[in-house]
Coordinates of all heavy atoms in Angstrom, one line a residue:
M1 N 0.8 -1.2 0.0 CA 0.0 0.0 0.0 C 0.9 1.2 0.0 O 0.7 2.2 -0.8 CB -0.9 0.0 1.2 CG -1.8 1.1 1.3 SD -3.2 1.0 0.2 CE -4.2 2.2 0.7
A2 N 1.9 1.3 0.9 CA 2.8 2.4 0.9 C 3.6 2.5 -0.3 O 3.9 3.6 -0.8 CB 3.7 2.3 2.2
S3 N 3.9 1.4 -0.9 CA 4.7 1.4 -2.2 C 3.9 2.0 -3.3 O 4.4 2.8 -4.1 CB 5.1 0.0 -2.5 OG 5.8 0.0 -3.8
I4 N 2.6 1.7 -3.3 CA 1.7 2.3 -4.4 C 1.6 3.8 -4.2 O 1.7 4.5 -5.1 CB 0.3 1.6 -4.3 CG1 0.5 0.1 -4.7 CG2 -0.6 2.3 -5.2 CD1 -0.8 -0.7 -4.5
K5 N 1.5 4.2 -2.9 CA 1.4 5.6 -2.6 C 2.7 6.4 -3.0 O 2.6 7.4 -3.6 CB 1.1 5.9 -1.2 CG -0.3 5.6 -0.8 CD -0.5 5.9 0.7 CE -1.9 5.6 1.2 NZ -2.1 5.8 2.6
A6 N 3.8 5.7 -2.7 CA 5.1 6.3 -3.1 C 5.3 6.5 -4.6 O 5.7 7.5 -5.1 CB 6.2 5.5 -2.5
K7 N 4.9 5.4 -5.3 CA 5.0 5.5 -6.8 C 4.1 6.5 -7.4 O 4.5 7.3 -8.2 CB 4.7 4.1 -7.4 CG 5.8 3.1 -7.2 CD 5.4 1.8 -7.8 CE 6.5 0.8 -7.6 NZ 6.3 -0.5 -8.2
T8 N 2.8 6.6 -6.8 CA 1.9 7.6 -7.3 C 2.4 9.0 -7.0 O 2.4 9.9 -7.8 CB 0.5 7.4 -6.6 OG1 0.0 6.1 -6.9 CG2 -0.5 8.4 -7.1
A9 N 3.0 9.2 -5.8 CA 3.6 10.5 -5.4 C 4.7 10.8 -6.4 O 4.9 12.0 -6.8 CB 4.0 10.5 -4.0
Q10 N 5.5 9.8 -6.7 CA 6.7 10.1 -7.6 C 6.2 10.5 -9.0 O 6.8 11.4 -9.6 CB 7.6 8.9 -7.6 CG 8.3 8.6 -6.4 CD 9.1 7.3 -6.5 OE1 8.8 6.4 -7.3 NE2 10.0 7.1 -5.5
E11 N 5.2 9.8 -9.5 CA 4.6 10.2 -10.8 C 4.1 11.6 -10.8 O 4.3 12.4 -11.7 CB 3.5 9.2 -11.2 CG 4.1 7.8 -11.5 CD 3.0 6.7 -11.6 OE1 1.8 7.1 -11.6 OE2 3.3 5.6 -11.8
I12 N 3.3 11.9 -9.7 CA 2.8 13.3 -9.6 C 3.9 14.3 -9.6 O 3.8 15.4 -10.2 CB 1.8 13.4 -8.4 CG1 0.6 12.5 -8.6 CG2 1.5 14.9 -8.1 CD1 -0.2 12.4 -7.3
L13 N 4.9 14.0 -8.8 CA 6.1 14.9 -8.7 C 6.7 15.1 -10.0 O 7.1 16.2 -10.4 CB 7.0 14.3 -7.6 CG 8.3 15.2 -7.4 CD1 7.9 16.5 -6.7 CD2 9.2 14.4 -6.4
M14 N 7.0 14.0 -10.7 CA 7.6 14.1 -12.0 C 6.7 15.0 -13.0 O 7.3 15.8 -13.7 CB 7.8 12.8 -12.6 CG 8.9 12.0 -11.9 SD 10.5 12.8 -12.0 CE 10.8 12.9 -13.7
N15 N 5.4 14.8 -13.0 CA 4.5 15.6 -13.8 C 4.6 17.0 -13.5 O 4.6 17.9 -14.3 CB 3.1 15.0 -13.8 CG 3.0 13.7 -14.5 OD1 3.7 13.4 -15.4 ND2 2.0 12.9 -14.0
D16 N 4.6 17.3 -12.2 CA 4.6 18.7 -11.7 C 5.9 19.4 -12.1 O 6.0 20.5 -12.5 CB 4.5 18.8 -10.2 CG 3.0 18.6 -9.8 OD1 2.1 18.6 -10.7 OD2 2.8 18.4 -8.6
F17 N 7.0 18.7 -12.0 CA 8.3 19.2 -12.4 C 8.4 19.4 -13.9 O 9.0 20.4 -14.4 CB 9.5 18.4 -11.9 CG 9.8 18.7 -10.4 CD1 9.8 17.7 -9.5 CD2 10.2 20.0 -10.0 CE1 10.1 18.0 -8.2 CE2 10.4 20.3 -8.7 CZ 10.4 19.3 -7.8
Q18 N 7.9 18.5 -14.7 CA 7.8 18.7 -16.1 C 7.0 19.9 -16.5 O 7.4 20.7 -17.4 CB 7.3 17.4 -16.8 CG 8.3 16.3 -16.7 CD 7.6 15.0 -17.2 OE1 6.4 14.9 -17.5 NE2 8.4 13.9 -17.3
T19 N 5.9 20.1 -15.8 CA 5.1 21.3 -16.1 C 5.8 22.5 -15.7 O 5.8 23.5 -16.4 CB 3.7 21.2 -15.3 OG1 3.1 20.0 -15.7 CG2 2.9 22.4 -15.5
L20 N 6.5 22.5 -14.5 CA 7.3 23.6 -14.1 C 8.4 24.0 -15.1 O 8.6 25.2 -15.5 CB 7.9 23.3 -12.8 CG 8.9 24.4 -12.2 CD1 8.1 25.7 -11.9 CD2 9.5 23.9 -10.9
V21 N 9.1 23.0 -15.6 CA 10.1 23.2 -16.6 C 9.5 23.8 -17.9 O 10.1 24.8 -18.5 CB 10.9 21.9 -16.9 CG1 11.8 22.1 -18.1 CG2 11.7 21.5 -15.7
A22 N 8.4 23.3 -18.3 CA 7.8 23.8 -19.6 C 7.3 25.2 -19.4 O 7.5 26.1 -20.3 CB 6.6 22.9 -19.9
D23 N 6.7 25.5 -18.2 CA 6.3 26.9 -17.9 C 7.5 27.9 -17.9 O 7.4 29.0 -18.4 CB 5.5 27.0 -16.6 CG 4.2 26.3 -16.7 OD1 3.7 26.1 -17.8 OD2 3.5 26.1 -15.7
T24 N 8.6 27.4 -17.3 CA 9.8 28.2 -17.2 C 10.4 28.5 -18.6 O 10.8 29.6 -18.9 CB 10.8 27.6 -16.3 OG1 10.2 27.3 -15.0 CG2 12.0 28.5 -16.1
E25 N 10.4 27.4 -19.4 CA 10.9 27.6 -20.8 C 10.0 28.6 -21.5 O 10.6 29.4 -22.3 CB 10.9 26.3 -21.5 CG 12.0 25.3 -21.0 CD 11.9 24.0 -21.6 OE1 10.9 23.6 -22.2 OE2 12.9 23.2 -21.4
R26 N 8.7 28.5 -21.4 CA 7.8 29.5 -22.1 C 8.1 30.9 -21.6 O 8.1 31.8 -22.4 CB 6.4 29.1 -21.8 CG 5.9 28.0 -22.7 CD 4.4 27.7 -22.6 NE 3.6 28.7 -21.9 CZ 2.6 28.4 -21.1 NH1 2.3 27.2 -20.9 NH2 1.8 29.4 -20.6
L27 N 8.3 31.0 -20.3 CA 8.6 32.4 -19.8 C 9.9 32.9 -20.3 O 9.9 34.1 -20.7 CB 8.7 32.3 -18.2 CG 9.0 33.6 -17.5 CD1 8.0 34.6 -17.8 CD2 9.3 33.4 -16.0
L28 N 10.9 32.1 -20.4 CA 12.2 32.6 -21.0 C 12.0 32.9 -22.5 O 12.6 33.9 -23.0 CB 13.2 31.5 -20.8 CG 13.7 31.2 -19.4 CD1 14.6 30.1 -19.3 CD2 14.3 32.5 -18.8
E29 N 11.2 32.1 -23.2 CA 11.1 32.4 -24.6 C 10.3 33.7 -24.9 O 10.6 34.4 -25.8 CB 10.3 31.2 -25.3 CG 11.1 30.0 -25.4 CD 10.3 28.8 -25.9 OE1 9.1 29.0 -26.3 OE2 10.8 27.7 -26.0
H30 N 9.4 34.0 -24.0 CA 8.5 35.1 -24.2 C 8.9 36.3 -23.4 O 8.2 37.3 -23.5 CB 7.0 34.7 -23.9 CG 6.5 33.8 -24.8 ND1 6.9 32.5 -25.0 CD2 5.4 33.9 -25.7 CE1 6.2 31.8 -25.8 NE2 5.3 32.6 -26.3
T31 N 9.9 36.3 -22.7 CA 10.3 37.4 -21.9 C 10.5 38.7 -22.7 O 10.0 39.8 -22.2 CB 11.7 37.1 -21.2 OG1 11.5 35.9 -20.4 CG2 12.1 38.2 -20.3
A32 N 11.1 38.6 -23.8 CA 11.3 39.8 -24.6 C 10.0 40.4 -25.2 O 9.9 41.6 -25.4 CB 12.3 39.5 -25.7
T33 N 9.0 39.5 -25.5 CA 7.9 40.0 -26.2 C 6.6 40.2 -25.4 O 5.7 40.8 -25.8 CB 7.5 38.9 -27.3 OG1 7.2 37.7 -26.7 CG2 8.6 38.8 -28.3
L34 N 6.6 39.7 -24.2 CA 5.5 39.8 -23.3 C 5.5 41.2 -22.6 O 6.5 41.7 -22.2 CB 5.5 38.8 -22.2 CG 5.2 37.4 -22.7 CD1 5.2 36.4 -21.5 CD2 3.8 37.3 -23.3
A35 N 4.3 41.7 -22.5 CA 4.1 43.0 -21.8 C 3.0 42.8 -20.7 O 2.1 42.1 -20.9 CB 3.8 44.1 -22.8
G36 N 3.2 43.5 -19.6 CA 2.3 43.6 -18.5 C 1.4 42.4 -18.2 O 1.9 41.6 -17.5
D37 N 0.2 42.4 -18.6 CA -0.8 41.4 -18.2 C -0.3 39.9 -18.6 O -0.5 39.0 -17.8 CB -2.2 41.6 -18.8 CG -2.8 42.9 -18.2 OD1 -2.3 43.3 -17.1 OD2 -3.7 43.5 -18.8
Q38 N 0.2 39.8 -19.8 CA 0.7 38.5 -20.2 C 1.8 37.9 -19.3 O 1.8 36.8 -19.0 CB 1.1 38.5 -21.7 CG 0.0 38.8 -22.7 CD 0.5 38.9 -24.1 OE1 1.7 39.3 -24.3 NE2 -0.3 38.6 -25.1
A39 N 2.7 38.8 -19.0 CA 3.8 38.4 -18.1 C 3.3 38.0 -16.7 O 3.7 37.0 -16.2 CB 4.9 39.5 -18.0
D40 N 2.3 38.8 -16.2 CA 1.8 38.5 -14.9 C 1.0 37.1 -14.9 O 1.1 36.4 -14.0 CB 0.8 39.6 -14.5 CG 1.6 40.9 -14.2 OD1 2.8 40.8 -13.9 OD2 0.9 42.0 -14.2
E41 N 0.3 36.9 -16.0 CA -0.4 35.6 -16.1 C 0.5 34.4 -16.1 O 0.3 33.4 -15.5 CB -1.3 35.6 -17.4 CG -2.1 34.4 -17.6 CD -2.9 34.4 -18.9 OE1 -3.1 35.4 -19.4 OE2 -3.3 33.3 -19.3
L42 N 1.6 34.6 -16.9 CA 2.5 33.5 -17.0 C 3.3 33.3 -15.7 O 3.5 32.1 -15.2 CB 3.6 33.8 -18.1 CG 4.4 32.6 -18.6 CD1 3.6 31.4 -18.9 CD2 5.3 33.0 -19.7
R43 N 3.6 34.3 -15.0 CA 4.2 34.2 -13.6 C 3.2 33.5 -12.7 O 3.7 32.7 -11.8 CB 4.6 35.6 -13.1 CG 5.9 36.1 -13.7 CD 6.4 37.4 -13.0 NE 7.1 38.2 -13.9 CZ 6.6 39.3 -14.5 NH1 5.4 39.8 -14.2 NH2 7.3 40.0 -15.3
G44 N 1.9 33.8 -12.8 CA 1.0 33.2 -11.9 C 0.9 31.7 -12.2 O 0.8 30.9 -11.2
Q45 N 0.9 31.3 -13.4 CA 0.9 29.9 -13.8 C 2.2 29.2 -13.2 O 2.1 28.1 -12.7 CB 0.8 29.7 -15.3 CG -0.5 30.1 -15.9 CD -0.4 30.0 -17.4 OE1 0.6 29.8 -18.0 NE2 -1.6 30.3 -18.0
I46 N 3.3 29.8 -13.3 CA 4.5 29.2 -12.8 C 4.5 29.1 -11.3 O 4.9 28.1 -10.7 CB 5.8 30.1 -13.3 CG1 6.0 29.9 -14.8 CG2 7.0 29.7 -12.5 CD1 7.0 30.8 -15.4
H47 N 3.9 30.1 -10.7 CA 3.7 30.1 -9.2 C 2.8 29.0 -8.8 O 3.2 28.2 -7.8 CB 3.2 31.5 -8.7 CG 3.0 31.5 -7.2 ND1 4.1 31.6 -6.4 CD2 1.9 31.6 -6.5 CE1 3.7 31.6 -5.1 NE2 2.3 31.7 -5.2
E48 N 1.8 28.7 -9.5 CA 0.9 27.6 -9.2 C 1.6 26.3 -9.4 O 1.4 25.4 -8.6 CB -0.4 27.7 -10.1 CG -1.3 28.8 -9.7 CD -2.5 28.9 -10.7 OE1 -2.7 28.0 -11.5 OE2 -3.1 30.0 -10.7
S49 N 2.4 26.2 -10.4 CA 3.1 25.0 -10.6 C 4.1 24.7 -9.5 O 4.3 23.6 -9.1 CB 3.9 25.0 -12.0 OG 3.0 25.1 -13.0
L50 N 4.8 25.8 -9.0 CA 5.7 25.6 -7.9 C 4.9 25.2 -6.6 O 5.4 24.3 -5.9 CB 6.4 26.9 -7.6 CG 7.6 27.3 -8.6 CD1 8.1 28.7 -8.3 CD2 8.7 26.3 -8.4
L51 N 3.8 25.7 -6.4 CA 3.0 25.3 -5.2 C 2.6 23.9 -5.3 O 2.7 23.1 -4.3 CB 1.8 26.2 -5.1 CG 2.0 27.7 -4.7 CD1 0.7 28.4 -4.7 CD2 2.7 27.7 -3.3
R52 N 2.2 23.4 -6.5 CA 1.8 22.0 -6.6 C 3.0 21.1 -6.4 O 2.9 20.0 -5.8 CB 1.2 21.7 -8.0 CG -0.2 22.2 -8.1 CD -0.9 21.6 -9.4 NE -0.1 21.8 -10.6 CZ -0.2 22.9 -11.4 NH1 -1.1 23.8 -11.1 NH2 0.5 23.0 -12.5
A53 N 4.2 21.5 -6.9 CA 5.4 20.7 -6.8 C 5.8 20.7 -5.3 O 6.2 19.6 -4.8 CB 6.5 21.3 -7.6
R54 N 5.7 21.8 -4.6 CA 6.0 21.8 -3.1 C 5.0 20.8 -2.4 O 5.5 20.1 -1.5 CB 5.9 23.2 -2.6 CG 7.0 24.1 -2.9 CD 6.9 25.4 -2.3 NE 7.9 26.3 -2.8 CZ 7.8 27.6 -2.9 NH1 6.6 28.2 -2.6 NH2 8.7 28.3 -3.4
E55 N 3.7 20.9 -2.7 CA 2.8 20.0 -2.0 C 3.1 18.5 -2.3 O 3.0 17.7 -1.4 CB 1.4 20.3 -2.5 CG 0.8 21.6 -2.1 CD -0.5 22.0 -2.7 OE1 -1.1 21.2 -3.5 OE2 -1.0 23.1 -2.5
T56 N 3.5 18.2 -3.5 CA 3.8 16.9 -3.9 C 5.1 16.4 -3.1 O 5.2 15.3 -2.7 CB 4.0 16.7 -5.4 OG1 2.8 17.2 -6.0 CG2 4.2 15.3 -5.8
L57 N 6.1 17.3 -3.0 CA 7.3 17.0 -2.3 C 7.0 16.7 -0.8 O 7.5 15.8 -0.2 CB 8.3 18.2 -2.4 CG 9.1 18.2 -3.6 CD1 9.9 19.5 -3.7 CD2 10.0 17.0 -3.8
K58 N 6.1 17.5 -0.3 CA 5.7 17.3 1.1 C 5.0 16.0 1.3 O 5.2 15.2 2.3 CB 4.7 18.5 1.6 CG 4.3 18.4 3.0 CD 5.4 18.5 4.0 CE 4.9 18.5 5.4 NZ 5.8 18.1 6.3
L59 N 4.1 15.6 0.3 CA 3.4 14.3 0.4 C 4.4 13.2 0.3 O 4.4 12.2 1.1 CB 2.4 14.2 -0.8 CG 1.7 12.9 -0.9 CD1 0.8 12.6 0.3 CD2 0.9 12.8 -2.2
T60 N 5.4 13.3 -0.6 CA 6.4 12.3 -0.7 C 7.3 12.2 0.5 O 7.6 11.1 1.0 CB 7.3 12.6 -1.9 OG1 6.5 12.7 -3.1 CG2 8.4 11.5 -2.2
E61 N 7.6 13.3 1.1 CA 8.4 13.3 2.3 C 7.6 12.6 3.5 O 8.2 11.8 4.2 CB 8.7 14.7 2.7 CG 9.5 14.8 4.0 CD 9.6 16.3 4.5 OE1 9.2 17.2 3.8 OE2 10.2 16.5 5.6
D62 N 6.3 12.9 3.6 CA 5.5 12.3 4.6 C 5.4 10.8 4.4 O 5.5 10.0 5.4 CB 4.1 13.0 4.7 CG 4.1 14.4 5.2 OD1 5.2 14.8 5.7 OD2 3.1 15.1 4.9
T63 N 5.2 10.4 3.2 CA 5.1 9.0 2.9 C 6.4 8.2 3.2 O 6.4 7.2 3.9 CB 4.8 8.8 1.4 OG1 3.5 9.4 1.1 CG2 4.6 7.3 1.1
L64 N 7.5 8.8 2.8 CA 8.8 8.2 3.2 C 9.1 8.1 4.7 O 9.6 7.2 5.2 CB 10.0 8.9 2.4 CG 10.0 8.7 0.9 CD1 11.0 9.6 0.3 CD2 10.2 7.3 0.5
R65 N 8.7 9.2 5.3 CA 8.9 9.2 6.8 C 8.0 8.2 7.4 O 8.5 7.5 8.3 CB 8.5 10.6 7.3 CG 8.7 10.7 8.8 CD 8.7 12.2 9.2 NE 9.9 12.8 8.7 CZ 9.9 14.1 8.4 NH1 8.9 14.9 8.5 NH2 11.0 14.6 7.9
E66 N 6.8 8.0 7.0 CA 5.9 6.9 7.6 C 6.5 5.5 7.3 O 6.5 4.7 8.2 CB 4.5 7.0 6.9 CG 3.7 8.2 7.4 CD 2.4 8.3 6.6 OE1 2.0 7.4 5.9 OE2 1.7 9.4 6.8
R67 N 7.0 5.3 6.1 CA 7.6 4.0 5.7 C 8.8 3.8 6.6 O 9.1 2.7 7.0 CB 7.9 4.0 4.3 CG 6.7 3.9 3.4 CD 7.0 3.9 1.9 NE 7.8 2.8 1.5 CZ 8.5 2.8 0.4 NH1 8.4 3.8 -0.5 NH2 9.2 1.7 0.1
G68 N 9.7 4.8 6.8 CA 10.8 4.7 7.6 C 10.5 4.3 9.0 O 11.1 3.5 9.7
Q69 N 9.5 5.0 9.6 CA 9.1 4.8 10.9 C 8.5 3.4 11.1 O 8.8 2.7 12.1 CB 8.0 5.8 11.4 CG 7.6 5.6 12.8 CD 8.8 5.9 13.8 OE1 9.6 6.7 13.5 NE2 8.8 5.1 14.8
A70 N 7.8 2.9 10.1 CA 7.3 1.5 10.1 C 8.4 0.5 10.1 O 8.4 -0.5 10.8 CB 6.3 1.3 8.9
A71 N 9.5 0.8 9.3 CA 10.6 -0.1 9.3 C 11.3 -0.1 10.6 O 11.8 -1.2 11.1 CB 11.6 0.3 8.2
V72 N 11.5 1.0 11.2 CA 12.1 1.1 12.6 C 11.3 0.3 13.6 O 11.9 -0.5 14.4 CB 12.3 2.6 13.0 CG1 12.7 2.7 14.5 CG2 13.4 3.3 12.1
T73 N 10.0 0.5 13.6 CA 9.1 -0.2 14.5 C 9.2 -1.7 14.3 O 9.3 -2.5 15.3 CB 7.7 0.3 14.4 OG1 7.6 1.7 14.6 CG2 6.8 -0.4 15.3
A74 N 9.2 -2.1 13.0 CA 9.3 -3.6 12.8 C 10.6 -4.2 13.2 O 10.7 -5.3 13.8 CB 9.1 -3.8 11.3
T75 N 11.7 -3.4 13.0 CA 13.0 -3.9 13.4 C 13.1 -3.9 14.9 O 13.6 -4.9 15.5 CB 14.1 -2.9 12.9 OG1 14.0 -2.8 11.5 CG2 15.5 -3.4 13.3
E76 N 12.6 -2.9 15.6 CA 12.6 -3.0 17.1 C 11.7 -4.1 17.6 O 12.1 -4.8 18.6 CB 12.0 -1.6 17.6 CG 13.0 -0.5 17.5 CD 12.4 0.8 17.9 OE1 11.2 0.9 18.2 OE2 13.2 1.8 18.0
D77 N 10.6 -4.4 17.0 CA 9.7 -5.5 17.4 C 10.5 -6.8 17.2 O 10.4 -7.7 18.1 CB 8.4 -5.5 16.7 CG 7.5 -4.3 17.0 OD1 7.8 -3.7 18.1 OD2 6.6 -4.1 16.3
Y78 N 11.1 -7.0 16.1 CA 11.9 -8.2 15.8 C 13.0 -8.4 16.8 O 13.2 -9.5 17.3 CB 12.4 -8.2 14.4 CG 13.2 -9.5 14.1 CD1 12.5 -10.6 13.7 CD2 14.6 -9.5 14.2 CE1 13.2 -11.8 13.4 CE2 15.3 -10.7 13.9 CZ 14.6 -11.8 13.5 OH 15.3 -13.0 13.2
V79 N 13.7 -7.4 17.1 CA 14.9 -7.5 18.0 C 14.4 -7.8 19.4 O 15.0 -8.6 20.1 CB 15.7 -6.2 18.0 CG1 16.7 -6.2 19.1 CG2 16.4 -6.0 16.7
S80 N 13.3 -7.2 19.8 CA 12.7 -7.5 21.1 C 12.2 -8.9 21.2 O 12.4 -9.6 22.2 CB 11.5 -6.6 21.4 OG 12.0 -5.2 21.5
A81 N 11.6 -9.4 20.1 CA 11.1 -10.8 20.2 C 12.2 -11.9 20.0 O 12.1 -13.0 20.5 CB 10.0 -11.0 19.0
N82 N 13.2 -11.5 19.3 CA 14.3 -12.5 19.0 C 15.7 -11.9 19.3 O 16.5 -11.7 18.4 CB 14.2 -12.9 17.5 CG 12.9 -13.4 17.1 OD1 12.4 -14.4 17.7 ND2 12.2 -12.7 16.2
P83 N 16.0 -11.7 20.5 CA 17.3 -11.0 20.8 C 18.5 -11.8 20.4 O 19.5 -11.2 19.9 CB 17.2 -10.7 22.3 CG 16.2 -11.7 22.9 CD 15.3 -12.0 21.7
W84 N 18.5 -13.0 20.6 CA 19.7 -13.8 20.3 C 19.9 -14.0 18.8 O 21.1 -13.9 18.3 CB 19.7 -15.2 21.0 CG 19.9 -15.1 22.5 CD1 19.0 -15.2 23.4 CD2 21.1 -14.7 23.1 NE1 19.5 -15.0 24.7 CE2 20.8 -14.6 24.5 CE3 22.4 -14.3 22.7 CZ2 21.8 -14.3 25.4 CZ3 23.3 -14.0 23.6 CH2 23.0 -14.0 25.0
Q85 N 18.9 -14.1 18.1 CA 19.0 -14.2 16.6 C 19.5 -12.8 16.1 O 20.3 -12.8 15.2 CB 17.6 -14.5 16.0 CG 17.2 -15.9 16.2 CD 15.8 -16.2 15.6 OE1 15.1 -15.2 15.3 NE2 15.5 -17.4 15.4
S86 N 19.0 -11.7 16.7 CA 19.5 -10.4 16.3 C 21.0 -10.2 16.5 O 21.7 -9.7 15.7 CB 18.7 -9.3 17.0 OG 17.3 -9.5 16.8
V87 N 21.4 -10.7 17.7 CA 22.8 -10.6 18.0 C 23.6 -11.5 17.0 O 24.7 -11.0 16.5 CB 23.1 -11.1 19.5 CG1 24.6 -11.2 19.8 CG2 22.5 -10.1 20.5
G88 N 23.2 -12.7 16.7 CA 23.9 -13.5 15.8 C 23.9 -12.9 14.4 O 25.0 -12.9 13.7
I89 N 22.8 -12.3 13.9 CA 22.8 -11.7 12.6 C 23.8 -10.5 12.6 O 24.6 -10.3 11.7 CB 21.4 -11.2 12.3 CG1 20.5 -12.4 12.0 CG2 21.4 -10.3 11.1 CD1 19.0 -12.1 11.9
A90 N 23.8 -9.7 13.7 CA 24.7 -8.5 13.7 C 26.1 -9.0 13.7 O 27.0 -8.4 13.1 CB 24.3 -7.7 15.0
A91 N 26.4 -10.0 14.5 CA 27.8 -10.5 14.5 C 28.2 -11.0 13.1 O 29.3 -10.8 12.7 CB 27.9 -11.6 15.6
G92 N 27.3 -11.7 12.5 CA 27.6 -12.3 11.1 C 27.9 -11.2 10.1 O 28.8 -11.2 9.3
V93 N 27.0 -10.2 10.2 CA 27.2 -9.0 9.2 C 28.5 -8.3 9.6 O 29.3 -7.9 8.6 CB 26.0 -8.1 9.3 CG1 26.3 -6.8 8.6 CG2 24.8 -8.7 8.8
G94 N 28.8 -8.1 10.8 CA 30.1 -7.5 11.2 C 31.3 -8.3 10.8 O 32.3 -7.7 10.3
F95 N 31.2 -9.6 10.9 CA 32.3 -10.4 10.5 C 32.5 -10.3 9.0 O 33.7 -10.2 8.5 CB 32.0 -11.9 10.8 CG 33.0 -12.9 10.4 CD1 34.2 -12.9 11.1 CD2 32.8 -13.7 9.3 CE1 35.2 -13.8 10.7 CE2 33.8 -14.6 9.0 CZ 35.0 -14.7 9.6
L96 N 31.4 -10.3 8.2 CA 31.6 -10.2 6.7 C 32.1 -8.9 6.3 O 33.0 -8.8 5.4 CB 30.2 -10.4 6.1 CG 29.7 -11.9 6.1 CD1 28.2 -11.9 5.5 CD2 30.6 -12.8 5.4
I97 N 31.7 -7.8 7.0 CA 32.2 -6.5 6.7 C 33.7 -6.4 7.0 O 34.5 -5.9 6.3 CB 31.4 -5.4 7.4 CG1 30.0 -5.3 6.8 CG2 32.1 -4.1 7.3 CD1 29.1 -4.4 7.5
G98 N 34.1 -7.1 8.1 CA 35.5 -7.1 8.5 C 36.3 -7.9 7.5 O 37.4 -7.4 7.1
L99 N 35.8 -9.0 7.0 CA 36.5 -9.7 5.9 C 36.7 -8.9 4.7 O 37.8 -8.9 4.1 CB 35.8 -11.0 5.6 CG 35.9 -12.2 6.6 CD1 35.0 -13.3 6.1 CD2 37.4 -12.6 6.7
L100 N 35.6 -8.3 4.3 CA 35.7 -7.4 3.1 C 36.7 -6.2 3.2 O 37.4 -5.9 2.3 CB 34.3 -6.9 2.7 CG 33.3 -8.0 2.2 CD1 32.0 -7.4 2.0 CD2 33.8 -8.6 0.9
A101 N 36.7 -5.7 4.4 CA 37.5 -4.5 4.7 C 39.0 -4.9 4.7 O 39.9 -4.1 4.3 CB 37.1 -3.9 6.0
T102 N 39.3 -6.1 5.2 CA 40.7 -6.5 5.3 C 41.3 -7.0 3.9 O 42.5 -7.0 3.7 CB 40.9 -7.6 6.3 OG1 40.1 -8.7 6.0 CG2 40.6 -7.1 7.7
R103 N 40.4 -7.3 3.0 CA 40.9 -7.8 1.7 C 41.4 -6.6 0.8 O 42.2 -6.8 -0.1 CB 39.7 -8.5 0.9 CG 39.5 -9.8 1.4 CD 38.5 -10.5 0.5 NE 38.6 -11.9 0.7 CZ 37.9 -12.8 0.0 NH1 37.1 -12.4 -0.9 NH2 38.1 -14.1 0.1
R104 N 41.0 -5.4 1.1 CA 41.3 -4.3 0.3 C 42.6 -3.7 0.7 O 43.5 -3.5 1.1 CB 40.3 -3.2 0.4 CG 39.0 -3.7 -0.4 CD 38.0 -2.6 -0.4 NE 36.9 -3.1 -1.1 CZ 35.9 -2.4 -1.4 NH1 35.8 -1.2 -1.2 NH2 34.9 -3.0 -2.1

């Protein structure tokens, strides 16, 4: 479920950034020829795109934070339920890292 939300948030974020880039390119192309109201309208559109992108970034950040917290909670629960297995796994990983570090 969280994976689906993260992918959807990433797609929305990509679309918002593509829109932002397109709006910015249009602004740069028309900077010399736009006057008054047209420039204000284009700036307003770019501002709206930036706001949408910020909202999507916030959504993505919140989703990632929730997933991270769920992983921490699951790890803490596992370690609490299986302390000796956790110690064995940690020792094994440490041993492997030590072997890899000494080979270089």
